[in-house]
Amino acid sequence: MNIDVRLTAWVRGRVQGVGFRWFTRAEALEIGGLSGFASNLYDGRVQVVAEGPRERCEKLLDWLRTGDTPGEVSGVTDIWDIPRGGYDGFEIR
C-alpha cells in the first residue's frame, strides 16, 4: 500500500541563482503525482516540499541528493510528515 506523505527537504550548497528550483519543479512534474513547491531561503538553502505517494517523494529526494541537479549540492536534510494539502500542482516560490 502506497500512502500519501509530505516530504520537506532543505538542500544546501550552491543551489541559488543556478535554476535549481526550476529543475526541481520539472523533475517533480516528470515523476508525476506530486504537489508542493521549491523556494529559496535567506540562508542560501532551497526548501522543497512535496506531497504525494511515498515512493514518488522518495524518488524526488533521491534526485535531490544524487541527481543531475544544477549548481552543487553539499547536503540534504529531510523530514517526513502527513500531507497538509492546499497545493495546486508544483510551484516555484
Side-chain angles (χ1 to χ4, degrees):
M1 185 167 107
N2 199 6
I3 59 170
D4 282 359
V5 297
R6 175 186 179 95
L7 163 68
T8 304
W10 293 272
V11 185
R12 299 179 305 281
R14 191 172 59 81
V15 291
Q16 290 192 11
V18 294
F20 192 90
R21 293 174 300 156
W22 296 95
F23 274 82
T24 299
R25 178 179 182 268
E27 184 68 17
L29 294 175
E30 186 173 313
I31 291 169
L34 296 176
S35 60
F37 65 88
S39 66
N40 285 338
L41 299 178
Y42 292 110
D43 62 7
R45 295 177 299 167
V46 169
Q47 180 182 22
V48 178
V49 173
E51 293 188 353
R54 184 169 185 107
E55 70 176 16
R56 294 179 186 209
C57 287
E58 287 173 348
K59 190 171 182 178
L60 182 63
L61 180 60
D62 288 344
W63 179 83
L64 291 171
R65 287 194 164 128
T66 62
D68 186 18
T69 60
E72 185 177 326
V73 174
S74 62
V76 179
T77 302
D78 61 278
I79 60 169
W80 296 86
D81 204 348
I82 58 171
R84 298 180 194 163
Y87 302 112
D88 183 21
F90 203 93
E91 305 174 346
I92 294 167
R93 294 186 176 172

